[in-house]
Amino acid sequence: MERSFIILKPSCLKRALVGEIISRFEKKGLRIVQLKVARLPREKVEELYQQHAGKPFYERLVDFMTSDRVVLMVVEGRNAIDVVRRMVGATDPVEANPGTIRGDLALDKTDNLIHACDSPESYEREVRIFFDERELSE
Ligand code: CDP
Ligand code: MG
């Protein structure tokens, strides 16, 4: 079964939206494989967003992601990566469709509530930054 790697950005805990968001994934039928709260070190966020280094929004994004605690999770289900991306919605919440997490609950582009991997390759790369093998083998 395919797995997706997700980060609930710092505003999810601040705005008490963690339950709302996790509930959407559970109701969809995705199974929670792992779930943890952490304050991310700068190096790990830089590794996550390495393809964006040097872009105009990069520093703001890394500052934001290290500003407070996040929720890290792995979910599992049929076509989990695409399903999660469709539930998350477009990067800019202004353009994200109603019914999506960003479309319903966010407005700011940096603070768009959620990160999700976008391919099997990015899943493999990203999940290893934040979870060790033992946590994923259950
Ligand atoms: O998160 P997603 O995969 O939808 O977007 P991305 O292109 O991988 O960019 C990573 C994050 O950078 C986004 O979630 C936004 O928070 C931020 N970003 C931004 O602030 N301005 C942009 N023009 C593009 C991305
Ligand atoms: Mg991305």
Side-chain angles (χ1 to χ4, degrees):
M1 215 42 114
E2 189 169 87
R3 289 181 175 186
S4 175
F5 170 70
I6 298 164
I7 304 177
L8 306 188
K9 296 186 178 187
S11 44
C12 295
L13 275 164
K14 279 212 190 75
R15 293 173 57 196
L17 290 173
V18 172
E20 155 88 32
I21 294 170
I22 291 176
S23 175
R24 289 180 180 219
F25 292 133
E26 284 192 318
K27 286 183 200 159
K28 179 68 176 170
L30 293 161
R31 189 176 75 87
I32 297 171
V33 176
Q34 270 299 355
L35 187 64
K36 66 186 176 191
V37 173
R39 178 89 183 248
L40 300 180
R42 202 165 182 90
E43 312 80 71
K44 294 208 173 196
V45 175
E46 288 172 349
E47 195 178 341
L48 174 71
Y49 286 128
Q50 64 186 42
Q51 79 269 32
H52 296 308
K55 293 183 187 172
F57 60 85
Y58 176 75
E59 290 298 329
R60 199 178 334 120
L61 179 64
V62 176
D63 285 347
F64 174 63
M65 291 298 283
T66 54
S67 66
D68 211 332
R69 299 183 310 156
V70 301
V71 176
L72 301 154
M73 56 193 293
V74 175
V75 300
E76 185 176 80
R78 189 161 74 92
N79 286 6
I81 293 170
D82 280 351
V83 165
V84 168
R85 289 292 296 196
R86 290 158 69 97
M87 291 176 74
V88 165
T91 302
D92 186 344
V94 167
E95 282 149 29
N97 289 325
T100 65
I101 292 164
R102 287 168 174 166
D104 288 347
L105 305 171
L107 196 55
D108 190 87
K109 210 167 174 183
T110 305
D111 186 2
N112 57 4
L113 288 184
I114 183 162
H115 166 83
C117 68
D118 62 8
S119 66
E121 295 70 31
S122 69
Y123 169 78
E124 290 299 336
R125 188 183 75 80
E126 293 174 10
V127 79
R128 278 173 168 64
I129 304 172
F130 302 98
F131 289 99
D132 60 40
E133 213 53 64
R134 184 180 42 83
E135 289 174 294
L136 298 170
S137 64
E138 41 177 297

